[in-house]
């Protein structure tokens, strides 16, 4: 009976693995994920290039200057005061940067596809760990812990203070530019017993709301609409990329250690 049960469990695990690979873990899908990872990294470098190419950053906060700003990595794609023959930017250089980004990202995608069996094992271990915790934990409605409630109260107090004292000030834009992604991630991580899909649902409307707040503040300060969006892109893209890379690295390292520990236990049992 035990042998039959073990065989059926093994067959079930193999079936789940095959279904997972067919849906999420095929080599082409990991190739695309690797390409997306590389493109995100290159987009972040393009955003950061503004801060070392430009002589000043004041236009993001409403200081009007005709020249002294530029952006582009590895090739410059925009410079303030340059009309580019009636176009907004240097489109041939944009194409060149996209080509460079693709060339840089392709080896990452190939590496991800080559390592897909190992990556699939990590993902399966992650889902299995989540399933086990969900089975062991009683079904309870979404709630905040006392510590989370204290953090939420503090954040609400700080936001209320900012809204009353600095609502239509440059400091508000600085906070949104510099702390926007961090605040959004912390807000999404506060509720307990939520899947990552539910946390994404929390993130999306909060991010849109914060962008709308930045646009309203910018309009009140007389800052052009495109400058506010440019500031959000320049500041949020690198922060988001670094956060995503850091979270993925931590998750994969923890799962790899977990797998190694399980392998040691299995050897000891045998």
């Amino acid at each position: 009976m035990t042998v039959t049960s073990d065989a059926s469990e093994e067959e079930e695990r193999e079936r789940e693995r095959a279904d997972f690979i067919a849906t999420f873990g095929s080599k082409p899908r990991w190739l695309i994920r690797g390409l997306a990872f590389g493109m995100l990294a290159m987009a972040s470098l393009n955003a950061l290039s503004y801060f070392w190419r430009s002589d000043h950053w004041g236009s993001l906060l409403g200081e009007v200057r005709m020249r002294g700003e530029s952006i582009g990595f590895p090739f410059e794609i925009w410079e303030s005061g340059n009309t580019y023959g009636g176009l907004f930017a240097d489109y041939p250089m944009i194409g060149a940067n996209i080509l460079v980004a693709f060339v840089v990202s392709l080896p990452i995608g190939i590496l991800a596809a080559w390592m897909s069996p190992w990556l699939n094992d990590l993902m399966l271990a992650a889902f299995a760990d989540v399933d086990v915790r969900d089975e062991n934990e009683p079904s309870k409605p979404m709630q905040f812990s006392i510590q989370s409630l204290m953090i939420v109260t503090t954040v609400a107090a700080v936001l209320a203070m900012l809204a009353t004292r600095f609502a239509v000030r440059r400091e508000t834009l600085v906070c949104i530019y510099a702390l926007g992604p961090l605040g959004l991630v912390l807000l999404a991580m506060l509720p307990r017993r939520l899947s990552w899909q539910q946390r994404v649902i929390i993130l999306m409307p909060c991010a849109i709301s914060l962008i709308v707040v930045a646009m309203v503040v910018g309009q009140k300060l007389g800052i052009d609409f495109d400058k506010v969006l440019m500031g959000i892109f320049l500041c949020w893209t690198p922060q988001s990329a670094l956060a995503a890379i850091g979270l993925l690295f931590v998750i994969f390292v923890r799962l790899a250690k977990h797998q190694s520990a399980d392998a040691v236990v299995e050897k000891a049992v045998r």
Side-chain angles (χ1 to χ4, degrees):
M1 185 68 177
T2 305
V3 175
T4 305
S5 177
D6 292 341
S8 61
E9 289 180 1
E10 184 67 24
E11 290 177 0
E12 180 67 19
R13 283 196 294 267
E14 288 298 326
R15 186 183 63 80
E16 290 178 355
R17 177 182 174 81
D19 291 342
F20 175 84
I21 293 175
T23 307
F24 301 105
S26 63
K27 287 184 180 294
R29 288 181 180 272
W30 281 112
L31 175 65
I32 293 173
R33 292 183 186 120
L35 286 171
F37 179 86
M39 297 296 281
L40 177 61
M42 292 300 293
S44 299
L45 289 175
N46 268 278
L48 290 172
S49 69
Y50 172 86
F51 297 101
W52 75 69
R53 282 184 178 272
S54 301
D55 297 330
H56 60 87
W57 311 334
S59 67
L60 301 179
L61 299 175
E63 296 180 9
V64 180
R65 299 186 187 183
M66 295 304 297
R67 293 190 175 276
E69 296 175 289
S70 59
I71 186 174
F73 178 84
F75 307 111
E76 183 180 279
I77 62 174
W78 174 81
E79 182 185 14
S80 59
N82 194 333
T83 61
Y84 297 101
L87 302 175
F88 175 76
D90 191 340
Y91 288 102
M93 289 298 100
I94 291 178
N97 281 352
I98 293 174
L99 180 61
V100 171
F102 178 78
V103 171
V104 172
S105 304
L106 186 58
I108 300 175
I110 294 173
L111 179 63
W114 180 62
M115 297 183 64
S116 59
W118 180 74
L119 293 171
N120 286 330
D121 288 340
L122 289 181
M123 296 298 293
L124 285 167
F127 287 133
D129 182 58
V130 170
D131 291 339
V132 169
R133 285 188 284 109
D134 289 343
E135 291 175 359
N136 293 335
E137 291 184 356
S139 178
K140 294 182 179 179
M142 182 183 73
Q143 61 182 359
F144 286 79
S145 65
I146 294 178
Q147 181 181 7
S148 299
L149 285 173
M150 293 177 62
I151 295 174
V152 169
T153 304
T154 303
V155 172
V158 172
L159 290 177
M161 183 270 294
L162 291 174
T164 55
R165 299 187 61 182
F166 304 113
V168 187
R169 296 174 62 92
R170 289 188 173 90
E171 288 85 350
T172 305
L173 280 181
V174 171
C175 289
I176 293 175
Y177 289 159
L179 303 177
L182 177 62
L184 291 173
V185 171
L186 289 177
L187 182 63
M189 296 301 292
L190 286 178
R192 302 176 61 185
R193 298 185 180 89
L194 287 185
S195 65
W196 65 268
Q197 295 96 332
Q198 291 171 315
R199 298 186 192 278
V200 170
I201 292 174
I202 293 175
L203 276 174
M204 293 305 294
C206 291
I208 294 173
S209 300
L210 202 57
I211 292 173
V212 171
V213 170
M215 291 167 55
V216 171
V217 172
Q219 184 182 20
K220 295 286 187 180
L221 293 172
I223 304 174
D224 292 339
F225 169 82
D226 59 335
K227 289 294 184 181
V228 175
L229 290 182
M230 182 177 175
I232 291 174
F233 166 74
L234 295 175
C235 298
W236 284 24
T237 303
Q239 293 181 63
S240 301
L242 288 175
I245 292 170
L247 287 173
L248 286 174
F249 179 77
V250 170
I251 290 172
F252 282 150
V253 167
R254 291 183 64 181
L255 286 174
K257 290 182 178 179
H258 181 69
Q259 281 191 325
S260 299
D262 288 346
V264 171
V265 171
E266 289 181 1
K267 289 181 179 179
V269 171
R270 292 175 183 176

